[in-house]
Amino acid sequence: MPPLRIGMLGLGTVGAGTWRVLTRNQRDIVARSGRPMEIVAVAVRDLERARRIVGGAVALTTDPFDLVNRADIDVVVEVMGGTTLARELVLQAIANGKHVVTANKALLAEHGAEIFAAAEARGVIVAYEAAVAVSIPIIKALREGLVANRIAWVAGIVNGTSNFILTEMGSKGIGYANALKDAQDQGFAEADPRFDVEGTDAAHKLCLLAANAFGTQVPFAEVHTEGITELEAVDLACAEALGYRIKLLGVARRHDHSVEVRVHPALLRSDHLLAGVDGSMNAVMVHGDASGTTLYYGAGAGSEQTASAVIADLVDVARSAACDPSERVPHRAFQSHAMADLPLRPMADTTSAWYLRIICSATPTAERALLRTLARFGLQARIYGRYAQPDHSAHHVVLTQPVAYAALRRALVSLEQLPAVQGKVRAVRVETLE
Ligand code: NDP
Ligand code: HSE
């Protein structure tokens, strides 16, 4: 068989890892794919740095359009990032009849509908296993292993950087800024790390998971997204003292006529399977009506960890490029004509229990006022801990029974107006995933 000729856009953390793994494991990879894989050309900004990685055998360019227009390339690997130039390049590659492998979840969450439609019209593959929970073959699991199921929900920890930061802050007592810097130094973080810590990256991935799980488009801009930037070490410690861990969770759930898609920090009981997922690791749980709950665990970021998924996609391209496009696995698990457009369920209607940390005078009168205020909005709550501050106030840690988000928000406004309450009330959902 002739080699699969690859052009790579980018040779950074993921691109260089792909180069190394492909070079190191070429023999096993060819034994599986049936075709040699040859990186023919690479587009970067810094040619000298790239030359040090790939040596003299590969054509290098600083013009990425030059690369996607080359006639001697079968597949373009987009590991450059961003959504503007990357979108143009991917669409141009597709228009040129090239298959695309990408690790770019932002691109697909925001422009997936356009890109998949263009690929389908041109009969080429757009593969993106590396875009979600890198080393975990979760797209393959949803598209192939679980196809018999009506999937009720998919949930998990899908951002390695924020999980790494929470773990460092919690168990090692390392400060937020140092933990983030460490994640950046290890190549886990996005070029703009706000995507990681504000929950955006997790929301991008959740859109792709939900589309594959439920067969519906998910409008990224409407996904409820909260990150970890408001959490403090005291929250992690209070949660721990109550028998919980705090994780940044993505949850997508199917309802009869809508889908619920949300990213936010959540308390999970310490014995929950996801609570023990630490560092830059990721884990995804999927509940199917026939399979029951299945769990997938693995590295959530990193150079060769992501390369593992990029190359898996390249092998899929090598195996199925010659097939009739209608016989390939659909881009988002469901045939495109069967994709629905279900609305997102308003967050105000979602229900969960809550952890509240309220800084308030440590007097019985003040505490009664807290609980009375919560009760006025239908929140059954109990004070589980009081952590004294030097000024005679205390962090009051409250857990509530499940309540609609709309009621919780109204209660928070009233709580923060009580004379005994200082500053903002910290509120984090308690998730059971039942
Ligand atoms: P890096 O910043 O490490 O690498 C980006 C690469 O793209 C660099 O080689 C850079 O060139 C090149 N590049 C950027 N802009 C241009 C341009 N205009 N023209 C030519 N080359 C360009 O990013 P990562 O490897 O970390 O991430 C790449 C993609 O993979 C992103 O979409 C990211 O979200 C995704 N991803 C990252 C993971 C990770 O763990 N890091 C995991 C999963 C997905 P130069 O080297 O010359 O600067
Ligand atoms: N920045 C991402 C993360 C990379 O930390 O999860 C993997 O997608």
Side-chain angles (χ1 to χ4, degrees), residues 99-155:
H99 304 290
V100 172
V101 170
T102 179
N104 191 337
K105 50 271 167 164
L107 177 69
L108 294 181
E110 292 177 28
H111 302 291
E114 179 187 23
I115 288 170
F116 293 128
E120 204 156 307
R122 195 65 175 80
V124 297
I125 300 165
V126 174
Y128 54 94
E129 187 66 70
V132 185
V134 304
S135 69
I136 306 172
I138 187 63
I139 298 298
K140 202 171 248 313
L142 289 170
R143 288 205 310 202
E144 300 181 43
L146 294 171
V147 281
N149 289 271
R150 183 168 169 86
I151 293 174
W153 54 262
V154 49

Side-chain angles (χ1 to χ4, degrees), residues 71-95:
D72 60 349
I73 282 174
D74 305 306
V75 50
V76 169
V77 174
E78 187 277 300
V79 284
M80 202 177 93
T83 51
T84 308
L85 182 58
R87 171 182 162 275
E88 285 175 42
L89 290 164
V90 162
L91 289 172
Q92 180 70 32
I94 291 169

Side-chain angles (χ1 to χ4, degrees), residues 8-17 42-50 53 61-65 78-82 85-86 89 102-107 129-134 161 186-191 195 201 205 300-307 310:
M8 291 227 300
L9 295 168
L11 195 66
T13 302
V14 180
V42 175
V44 289
R45 288 173 299 206
D46 180 344
L47 290 174
E48 270 183 34
R49 182 185 163 276
I53 297 170
T61 177
T62 52
D63 180 356
F65 284 97
E78 187 277 300
V79 284
M80 202 177 93
L85 182 58
L89 290 164
T102 179
N104 191 337
K105 50 271 167 164
L107 177 69
E129 187 66 70
V132 185
V134 304
T161 300
Q186 296 190 54
F188 301 153
E190 295 302 302
F195 277 51
D201 176 75
K205 292 164 179 165
S303 178
E304 295 199 359
Q305 294 86 342
T306 312
V310 169

Side-chain angles (χ1 to χ4, degrees), residues 242 367 382-387 394-398:
L242 295 177
E367 291 182 0
R382 205 178 121 192
I383 297 174
Y384 279 80
R386 292 168 188 84
Y387 302 94
H395 294 272
H396 289 72
V397 177
V398 171

Side-chain angles (χ1 to χ4, degrees), residues 96-317:
N96 288 340
K98 299 183 193 314
H99 304 290
V100 172
V101 170
T102 179
N104 191 337
K105 50 271 167 164
L107 177 69
L108 294 181
E110 292 177 28
H111 302 291
E114 179 187 23
I115 288 170
F116 293 128
E120 204 156 307
R122 195 65 175 80
V124 297
I125 300 165
V126 174
Y128 54 94
E129 187 66 70
V132 185
V134 304
S135 69
I136 306 172
I138 187 63
I139 298 298
K140 202 171 248 313
L142 289 170
R143 288 205 310 202
E144 300 181 43
L146 294 171
V147 281
N149 289 271
R150 183 168 169 86
I151 293 174
W153 54 262
V154 49
I157 296 166
V158 290
N159 182 262
T161 300
S162 53
N163 203 43
F164 177 84
I165 294 171
L166 290 178
T167 307
E168 297 285 291
M169 283 172 69
S171 60
K172 300 191 191 157
I174 293 180
Y176 174 90
N178 285 340
L180 172 57
K181 164 123 190 8
D182 208 359
Q184 288 176 297
D185 290 346
Q186 296 190 54
F188 301 153
E190 295 302 302
D192 179 349
R194 284 176 300 183
F195 277 51
D196 296 292
V197 296
E198 291 177 0
T200 314
D201 176 75
H204 286 146
K205 292 164 179 165
L206 198 59
C207 287
L208 297 173
L209 289 173
N212 278 278
F214 311 136
T216 184
Q217 319 270 4
V218 180
F220 161 72
E222 292 172 32
V223 171
H224 176 88
T225 305
E226 291 170 49
I228 62 166
T229 49
E230 307 268 287
L231 290 174
E232 294 173 40
V234 62
D235 295 307
L236 304 181
C238 289
E240 195 110 18
L242 295 177
Y244 291 87
R245 305 281 308 278
I246 300 185
K247 297 289 177 188
L248 182 69
L249 274 194
V251 180
R253 197 178 281 277
R254 182 206 290 264
H255 296 274
D256 284 343
H257 305 291
S258 64
V259 284
E260 180 181 332
V261 185
R262 52 187 163 94
V263 170
H264 50 73
L267 273 76
L268 287 165
R269 286 210 61 87
S270 304
D271 57 1
H272 193 282
L273 285 168
L274 294 181
V277 176
D278 280 338
S280 60
M281 303 305 280
N282 280 186
V284 182
M285 294 177 100
V286 183
H287 187 84
D289 63 344
S291 62
T293 304
T294 52
L295 171 68
Y296 309 83
Y297 170 85
S303 178
E304 295 199 359
Q305 294 86 342
T306 312
S308 167
V310 169
I311 296 168
D313 278 345
L314 285 170
V315 171
D316 269 354
V317 170

